[in-house]
Amino acid sequence: MSDEKLYIVLMGLPARGKSTLAIRLRDAFRRDGISTRIFNNGNLRRIYRPLQETSRSEFYSPKNSAAVELRSGFARMNMEMAKAYLRNSGRVAILDATNAERARRAIIEKYLDDYPLFFIECINDDEDILKLSIQEKINLPEFAHLKDKAATEFLKRIDYYRMIYTPLKVERNYIRIDSLQNMIIEEKHSDAIPFYDRLRDYLVTDEVKNLFLIRHTETEYNVANRIGGDSPLTKKGEAQATALGLFFKKKKVSYIFTSKKRRTIDTAKVICEMQDDCRIISLTEFDEINAGICERMTYEDIEKRLPHVFKRRGANKYHYVYPEGESYETMKPRIIQGVKKAFFLNRRANNIMIIGHQAVNRMILSHFLYRREDDVPYIYIPQDRFYHIVSTQDKKLFELKRYD
Ligand code: F6P
């Protein structure tokens, strides 16, 4: 067996997905038979200090010298444990902490000098994701006593870290990654890094544990064959939503992503009510294709009143931009952005659901299935079935299932 060993040191402001990434990396290395352990400073802090003290923002003020000393102590403890781990049977030690300050990182590089060391900086400033991540954090028991002050305290903590934050630059080996997009922003290596190809591949892979991709159930506009708009569900649509709710009752769905349109939100509400712990997150990114001047018309109306639109769209559906609206091509970036947000949250939750629209779901599916652009606007999106998608490094699953 090779004796290659590696320290991975995470860095980034709070709520940037570091711990989730640490877990993902650990699990991926372990699956490949490489013994890996995470050394998390926050865990030590929670063990050794009262939660009342460490959940308050003041504990993170750079001016609070007693707390600075305590936090450096936890960092030292983890470095010692990580070193001992690699000296013994461990192969990869992941140090998970903010490590925002250059000085702290210099100490780490100096102390952990027996094996190659690689920094990963997690960057993500998406407002929606930040809000949701902070919400997740403050739901943890350690914040319970702060009640409605929890979010403000957490934001203050982030501001304190921002005061001392310096991005990676002079460190010998690193990757700076957009942790929402899974996109490498910058990389540098001065030393040979064991497992490098594998590590890089883990970082850029979109992992989807279980995605249930559903189209909203029947609406009044569907019956009238009208496009776009914001119409309510029909009685049949409500019954379909109830059938979906019953079907998914046995599975734990943590998040349901919808568009901002009532037909997706109303479908989601019925499903969510039948779950124990479920949140609906409505994103404009998942709104249906904007049909511009054709919104609320039937296809027959368009053919009669706007024959040039009907003809030109029919001839090139993927690229055709509705006057004052969108095409499949122009809506793609926003759909991908929505998908990335959903995946980001799915990194912790096992099951997520997206309740979208016909064109939206076609674009989402084309993210997983290879389809020529010309074929995307014709992917079959029924309302009595849903797609179940798993896409991880070791498993790809894609099925169209009935729910009633
Ligand atoms: O008809 C329902 C609908 O979701 C419309 O709101 C939307 O314009 C249309 O489907 C998209 O499908 P197509 O691209 O085939 O017109």
Side-chain angles (χ1 to χ4, degrees):
M1 190 169 90
S2 144
D3 63 350
E4 287 190 310
K5 301 197 181 210
L6 175 67
Y7 292 108
I8 295 176
V9 182
L10 296 180
M11 79 149 290
L13 291 172
R16 262 58 184 178
K18 295 186 298 298
S19 297
T20 317
L21 177 63
I23 294 167
R24 249 175 80 209
L25 291 177
R26 180 199 60 195
D27 293 350
F29 277 122
R30 284 184 180 172
R31 269 199 308 267
D32 287 352
I34 299 167
S35 48
T36 302
R37 191 176 292 171
I38 297 173
F39 300 88
N40 178 305
N41 291 6
N43 285 349
L44 292 184
R45 162 168 56 73
R46 280 182 283 271
I47 293 170
Y48 291 105
R49 303 301 303 177
L51 297 178
Q52 268 79 354
E53 177 188 0
T54 64
S55 53
R56 293 216 169 264
S57 58
E58 279 320 298
F59 190 73
Y60 303 88
S61 162
K63 293 207 183 95
N64 183 346
S65 48
V68 169
E69 189 48 43
L70 278 170
R71 287 189 287 121
S72 309
F74 296 137
R76 238 178 353 251
M77 264 169 93
N78 264 332
M79 282 196 285
E80 280 161 19
M81 288 193 287
K83 201 164 194 163
Y85 177 64
L86 292 200
R87 210 182 298 128
N88 293 304
S89 60
R91 311 262 326 266
V92 177
I94 303 177
L95 289 100
D96 177 11
T98 322
N99 296 322
E101 230 179 344
R102 168 68 203 136
R104 161 80 71 82
R105 300 195 299 267
I107 294 170
I108 295 175
E109 272 186 323
K110 197 157 166 230
Y111 184 73
L112 301 178
D113 61 350
D114 43 352
Y115 292 106
L117 185 145
F118 197 78
F119 285 101
I120 302 175
E121 179 174 353
C122 293
I123 302 162
N124 167 25
D125 286 321
D126 183 277
E127 286 294 325
D128 280 337
I129 288 295
L130 208 54
K131 240 191 268 160
L132 290 165
S133 304
I134 291 173
Q135 194 56 47
E136 266 198 350
K137 295 238 180 226
I138 62 177
N139 284 343
L140 296 172
E142 68 177 286
F143 289 97
H145 69 103
L146 290 173
K147 301 201 177 82
D148 56 348
K149 293 209 181 67
T152 328
E153 283 295 287
F154 199 84
L155 285 168
K156 263 204 233 157
R157 180 195 299 197
I158 296 179
D159 284 341
Y160 280 137
Y161 275 115
R162 235 190 270 278
M163 286 163 67
I164 55 162
Y165 192 91
T166 44
L168 295 172
K169 192 169 176 71
V170 297
E171 287 73 11
R172 293 182 62 77
N173 309 297
Y174 63 79
I175 273 183
R176 304 181 67 229
I177 184 163
D178 179 326
S179 52
L180 173 62
Q181 306 289 342
N182 282 350
M183 206 175 68
I184 292 173
I185 299 169
E186 191 188 338
E187 57 189 311
K188 167 178 163 188
H189 11 100
S190 313
D191 306 308
I193 301 297
F195 319 115
Y196 188 67
D197 293 356
R198 231 181 296 205
L199 173 65
R200 206 181 179 289
D201 199 38
Y202 295 153
L203 290 175
V204 297
T205 304
D206 272 341
E207 288 246 309
V208 185
K209 287 188 227 155
N210 271 308
L211 168 65
F212 303 108
L213 180 65
I214 298 173
R215 185 177 169 195
H216 64 81
T217 54
E218 189 190 82
T219 65
E220 288 177 5
Y221 267 30
N222 290 149
V223 176
N225 213 13
R226 289 186 186 281
I227 65 172
D230 196 13
S231 79
L233 301 182
T234 59
K235 283 269 170 286
K236 181 177 168 193
E238 283 167 12
Q240 287 172 322
T242 306
L244 275 165
L246 289 169
F247 183 90
F248 283 100
K249 212 170 146 77
K250 288 156 260 151
K251 305 187 193 301
K252 184 181 155 25
V253 180
S254 310
Y255 293 101
I256 305 183
F257 293 88
T258 69
S259 70
K260 294 273 187 188
K261 303 290 177 190
R262 61 188 288 196
R263 53 196 186 277
T264 61
I265 297 171
D266 289 349
T267 309
K269 275 185 186 156
V270 180
I271 302 169
C272 215
E273 270 162 21
M274 292 192 219
Q275 292 282 323
D276 290 335
D277 181 20
C278 170
R279 295 180 47 153
I280 298 177
I281 298 167
S282 303
L283 303 174
T284 37
E285 281 92 339
F286 289 145
D287 278 356
E288 181 54 313
I289 189 169
N290 177 355
I293 60 168
C294 297
E295 278 284 306
R296 299 182 173 78
M297 290 170 81
T298 64
Y299 291 110
E300 291 72 34
D301 286 340
I302 302 172
E303 188 174 15
K304 238 187 268 157
R305 291 165 38 202
L306 300 165
H308 56 289
V309 170
F310 190 82
K311 220 164 125 199
R312 289 187 54 203
R313 186 163 196 260
N316 189 357
K317 202 171 166 190
Y318 187 83
H319 295 101
Y320 181 78
V321 184
Y322 276 112
E324 296 171 31
E326 292 177 300
S327 67
Y328 277 84
E329 185 184 29
T330 61
M331 73 190 266
K332 186 174 178 179
R334 69 169 167 91
I335 303 287
I336 300 298
Q337 180 70 3
V339 164
K340 297 277 179 181
K341 288 184 184 180
F343 291 177
F344 187 88
L345 289 160
N346 184 224
R347 289 172 196 171
R348 287 219 175 187
N350 273 325
N351 299 324
I352 59 162
M353 188 180 272
I354 299 177
I355 302 189
H357 302 261
Q358 177 153 257
V360 168
N361 288 12
R362 284 173 175 155
M363 290 306 305
I364 296 174
L365 285 173
S366 72
H367 190 75
F368 297 99
L369 286 177
Y370 174 73
R371 282 283 191 279
R372 289 182 324 138
E373 285 180 349
D374 286 351
D375 297 331
V376 172
Y378 299 96
I379 298 176
Y380 180 49
I381 310 288
Q383 273 168 319
D384 59 353
R385 271 167 275 179
F386 67 91
Y387 285 95
H388 176 204
I389 300 162
V390 179
S391 178
T392 63
Q393 288 212 323
D394 347 74
K395 189 171 170 188
K396 301 270 179 271
L397 173 97
F398 197 90
E399 46 181 355
L400 181 59
K401 288 173 90 166
R402 298 199 79 87
Y403 57 79
D404 49 0

